[in-house]
Amino acid sequence: EPILGIDAIVGLDVARRKKKRGQGTINYAAGVRIYHSNGEFLKYKLTTSQLESETIPGNILENLLGDIKGKKVMVHRDGRFPQDEIKVLKEMEKNLKTKFYLVEVIKSGAPRIYSEKKGIWVKINENEANLLTTSRTQGTPVPIIVRLPETYEDFSIEDAVISITSMTLLHWGSIKPPRLPVTTHYADKIGQFLLEGIISDLEGYIPFWL
C-alpha cells in the first residue's frame, strides 16, 4: 500500500573515499535512488563530481533531482542536511513545482532501546525520534535517529518513522535485515563501486546493489 500523501521517496547520499596520503576522506556525490510511494523502484542516478565538503552543490542537486516535477517527494538523507542543501531544495521546489519533505536518517548517537520488537520508536520532540529498525538477534539493537530539519503542516515525525520502517522491508535477498531503509543503505558501497569503475551506467532502472 502506498504511503498516503506522498508520490515518491528519494534516497540522497554522499560517498566518501579515503585519501591515499594523510588522514581524512575525499567526498563524492553518490547520487539518488528514487522509489514510488508503494516501494516500487523507479530509477537511480549517480555522479562522480568531487565535493569539498559534505554539502552537495546546487548544480549537482538539480542534476540528480531535476526529473522529479510536480510531485510530493520525501527525501531520506544519509546523515544531516547541510543548510546550503536545504536552501537549494527550497529554490528547486519553486522551479519544479515540487514539494520536498526532508528526513534525516542518522546512524549513530541514539541511546539504546531495550526491546525485541522492530518498529518501536521513542518521540523526542515534534521533529525528532529514535527508531528501532531491527529485531534483537545478538546483543541489544542499536536504534537510528530520525529527524526533520524543518516543520511541515502536512507531514509529521510519525510519517517519517513509518516511511523508514517500511523501506527497511525492501532489501530483497539480504541474509540479515539491515538497520537502514533501502533508500540510503549501501551508500558507501555504491560510491566505491562508482569510483573503482565497477559501475559504468550513471543512470538505470535496475537496483544492482540488492
Side-chain angles (χ1 to χ4, degrees), residues 19-78:
K19 294 180 180 179
K20 293 183 179 180
R21 295 182 180 179
Q23 298 181 346
T25 59
I26 301 172
N27 298 310
Y28 289 78
V32 295
R33 284 169 269 177
I34 305 173
Y35 293 80
H36 189 272
S37 61
N38 66 357
E40 177 186 359
F41 179 73
L42 299 177
K43 184 180 183 180
Y44 73 84
K45 198 169 186 179
L46 308 171
T47 176
T48 57
S49 300
Q50 185 171 342
L51 306 179
E52 296 180 356
S53 66
E54 293 287 331
T55 302
I56 303 176
N59 62 322
I60 295 179
L61 281 173
E62 291 173 1
N63 176 49
L64 294 174
L65 297 172
D67 296 336
I68 303 175
K69 298 180 180 179
K71 305 288 186 181
K72 290 186 175 182
V73 181
M74 191 187 315
V75 183
H76 290 171
R77 178 66 154 89
D78 182 27

Side-chain angles (χ1 to χ4, degrees), residues 173-198:
S174 293
I175 298 175
K176 182 180 179 181
R179 292 174 61 219
L180 300 177
V182 71
T183 44
T184 63
H185 192 59
Y186 289 144
D188 291 339
K189 289 186 178 180
I190 292 173
Q192 190 64 34
F193 289 159
L194 183 62
L195 299 176
E196 296 296 336
I198 298 174

Side-chain angles (χ1 to χ4, degrees), residues 6-7 50 53 65 78 91 108 113 132 172 175 194 202 208:
I6 299 295
D7 297 310
Q50 185 171 342
S53 66
L65 297 172
D78 182 27
E91 290 298 320
S108 60
I113 296 177
L132 195 61
W172 183 85
I175 298 175
L194 183 62
L202 297 182
F208 58 85

Side-chain angles (χ1 to χ4, degrees), residues 127-208:
N127 288 61
E128 186 172 325
N130 294 336
L131 168 64
L132 195 61
T133 54
T134 57
S135 301
R136 180 174 180 177
T137 53
Q138 293 182 344
T140 306
V142 180
I144 60 175
I145 298 173
V146 182
R147 183 175 176 272
L148 304 181
E150 295 193 325
T151 300
Y152 307 95
E153 294 182 356
D154 56 345
F155 185 78
S156 67
I157 189 64
E158 183 176 4
D159 296 324
V161 165
I162 291 173
S163 75
I164 291 173
T165 306
S166 299
M167 298 302 277
T168 62
L169 303 175
L170 299 182
H171 293 278
W172 183 85
S174 293
I175 298 175
K176 182 180 179 181
R179 292 174 61 219
L180 300 177
V182 71
T183 44
T184 63
H185 192 59
Y186 289 144
D188 291 339
K189 289 186 178 180
I190 292 173
Q192 190 64 34
F193 289 159
L194 183 62
L195 299 176
E196 296 296 336
I198 298 174
I199 303 172
S200 57
D201 296 327
L202 297 182
E203 295 185 40
Y205 303 92
I206 298 175
F208 58 85

Side-chain angles (χ1 to χ4, degrees), residues 111-122:
R112 298 297 179 95
I113 296 177
Y114 293 93
S115 173
E116 299 183 2
K117 186 176 180 182
K118 175 177 179 174
I120 292 291
W121 63 289
V122 177

